[in-house]
Amino acid sequence: MASNAPVGKPTDMSSPRLPKVAGIDSTVPAPPHTVAHLPGVPSAAPPSDAALPPGVLIQDRLASWVSDLTTLHELTERLIKTDSLDGALREMLGAGAALVGARRGMAVLEPADGLGPTSTIGLGLAHADLGTIETVPRGSGSYGRLLDGLPEADPPGAGLPEADPPGAGLPGNGPTAPRRPARVPEPIAIRDVRTEEGLDPRHREVAARLGYAASYALPLATEEAGRLGAAVWLYDEPAEPDERRRHLIGLYGRFATEHLARLLQVERAHARVATVAEELLPSRLPRVPGVRLAVRHLTGPQGGGDWYDALPLPEGALGLAVGSVSGTGPSALAAMGRLRASLRAYAVMEGEDPVAVLSDLELLLRLTEPARSATALFAYAEPAQRRIVLAGAGHAPPLVVGDHRTEFVETSLSAPLGMLTCWEAPSVELSPAPGETVLLYTDGLLRRTGDATDRAFARLHAAASSVPRADRSDPGAVADHVLRTLLPGGLDPAVEGEDVVLLAARFE
């Protein structure tokens, strides 16, 4: 169709062109008879257009607008489906390259508030190429000039009217003028690196080494979001986007910046939750003669209430505990911290009786947080005698791994804490052989497999049985092997679900 004919000279854009986007030419071609492609964006028309009937000109103009809007819709739809900063930056780079007619590019994420995260993503550029570009003095590179000139995000309340001065509203006096939003700098186009004035010699040297002759840099910033970063697209030949392409990439860039700002807030929130969760758990495991400890704790995006503890007790004893609090997010983390701190106190006072420890914990939970439930397992270990006494409340049984056996500990069935008016279940005692490892874990390890409960237990048993003999002397290696076998893809931080805790204790 005429509306899909190329625009501008073929030499103005790098080749080869990127694939089409959803059936629409991703380079956003323009019809040859279009007078103006988008409101406020003029475009030169061939002299023969003056002889065309007005109806044809209007139809061509509408067809061009529809094509542009459809392309932007397709590209923004693809961008909005990304749920990570890395994925959004890569999608934005590819779509932007299609809009400006480039083949390569890079995006730099560098929030102005200095809170991070920072990253550099390349399109058609190897990691070494990105490092080479970063050797260009920051003041000479287009993205560096943009980043240094971009505004920070306004503080809360910025842009709103300030407090009225005395006399405001009286005749002859007016309210205080609102603050003006920070200005976002214009994109920077370098049509020919070889002839551009004011460039550092290193800039020209890097361009020659990487084989690009021109660039177009776009600030990733808006008045509301402030500075997030900048994107640069590289051309193989001297080139510069025409006015229409600049308008399209400007619209797309503003939308991409707002989307990146939302993802940045989410990622920072997840990082804060993960930090709080780690701070609520032991910073390091204790060293107790006769036993070696290792733990693996994987958290989900919302931050669950799974926890663990290893507490030295009098006379060389050791208290081991794992548990899970219902719910996710900050409230579950706070409840987890309170529950763990309470269990430590009860363990110091009456740790030799795990049933009494969990009974006290049940009473506390029922009185202070009646709407919440929790599972817990507490083990009182005497490493010198290789003796363990444990009790569980709605928790999965431990697993003993050794050279001659791999078996679950037979514990009595019990409801979770907070589910019964009065909780009490008998404790069990076991004696690990020298060199055996006892695995304590949370239900999240089983549920993250995606299998039914029976199948998940069977897979856990098989994973523990398959630990190489050379790794069985290291509790950390045992835990790593079990996790790799059960969750070969790891714990996807973008997938909602429970946390995973695996505590391994190897008795000498």
Side-chain angles (χ1 to χ4, degrees), residues 7 32 58 72 78 90 100 111 118 165 186 204 213 216 257 275 285 342 349 376 383 388 426 453 476 481-482 502:
V7 64
I58 294 176
L72 286 175
R78 285 171 41 175
R90 295 186 185 280
V100 302
T118 60
E186 295 296 325
R204 305 184 201 277
Y216 185 74
T257 301
T275 301
L285 297 175
S342 301
M349 293 186 295
I388 299 177
T453 302
H481 177 85
V482 171
L502 182 58

Side-chain angles (χ1 to χ4, degrees), residues 231-438:
V232 184
W233 291 277
L234 308 176
Y235 297 96
D236 297 338
E237 300 175 358
E240 181 179 356
D242 58 24
E243 196 169 358
R244 171 171 168 263
R245 292 178 183 272
R246 288 174 181 253
H247 188 71
L248 290 176
I249 191 60
L251 293 174
Y252 181 78
R254 287 192 289 274
F255 181 87
T257 301
E258 295 296 337
H259 181 61
L260 288 170
R262 290 190 290 270
L263 293 178
L264 180 63
Q265 292 178 355
V266 172
E267 183 160 318
R268 286 178 173 178
H270 289 168
R272 287 192 291 268
V273 169
T275 301
V276 171
E278 292 300 326
E279 291 295 328
L280 290 174
L281 297 174
S283 58
R284 59 181 179 180
L285 297 175
R287 294 184 177 181
V288 177
V291 64
R292 295 172 58 195
L293 302 174
V295 68
R296 300 295 182 264
H297 181 210
L298 308 177
T299 59
Q302 297 296 328
D306 287 14
W307 55 276
Y308 65 92
D309 206 348
L311 178 65
L313 297 175
E315 300 180 358
L318 176 68
L320 300 174
V322 292
S324 177
V325 176
S326 60
T328 59
S331 62
L333 290 176
M336 177 263 285
R338 293 190 293 268
L339 200 67
R340 173 179 168 268
S342 301
L343 184 140
R344 291 174 70 92
Y346 298 145
V348 170
M349 293 186 295
E350 47 192 353
E352 296 183 13
D353 186 356
V355 173
V357 172
L358 293 185
S359 297
D360 293 341
L361 201 63
E362 151 73 20
L363 179 60
L364 177 71
L365 186 69
R366 183 157 41 88
L367 293 177
T368 60
E369 302 186 56
R372 194 179 297 275
S373 64
T375 65
L377 186 146
F378 178 73
Y380 178 82
E382 296 174 310
Q385 290 77 32
R386 292 194 302 278
R387 173 178 174 268
I388 299 177
V389 181
L390 62 87
H395 209 81
L399 181 63
V400 179
V401 181
D403 293 336
H404 304 291
R405 65 170 176 168
T406 299
E407 61 184 26
F408 290 102
V409 178
E410 293 186 5
T411 58
S412 58
L413 296 177
S414 173
L417 301 175
M419 300 293 289
L420 300 177
T421 304
C422 180
W423 179 91
E424 185 170 338
S427 60
V428 297
E429 183 176 331
L430 68 147
S431 298
E436 288 188 331
T437 299
V438 179

Side-chain angles (χ1 to χ4, degrees), residues 426-496:
S427 60
V428 297
E429 183 176 331
L430 68 147
S431 298
E436 288 188 331
T437 299
V438 179
L439 295 179
L440 310 180
Y441 52 92
T442 58
D443 295 340
L445 178 63
L446 303 174
R447 293 196 176 97
R448 281 284 188 172
T449 64
D451 296 326
T453 302
D454 292 345
R455 172 63 176 165
F457 274 116
R459 288 186 57 189
L460 174 58
H461 186 278
S465 301
S466 64
V467 175
R469 187 174 296 272
D471 292 339
R472 295 192 177 185
S473 60
D474 182 2
V478 173
D480 290 336
H481 177 85
V482 171
L483 285 176
R484 285 196 305 268
T485 305
L486 286 181
L487 306 174
L491 189 65
D492 188 350
V495 176
E496 296 288 347

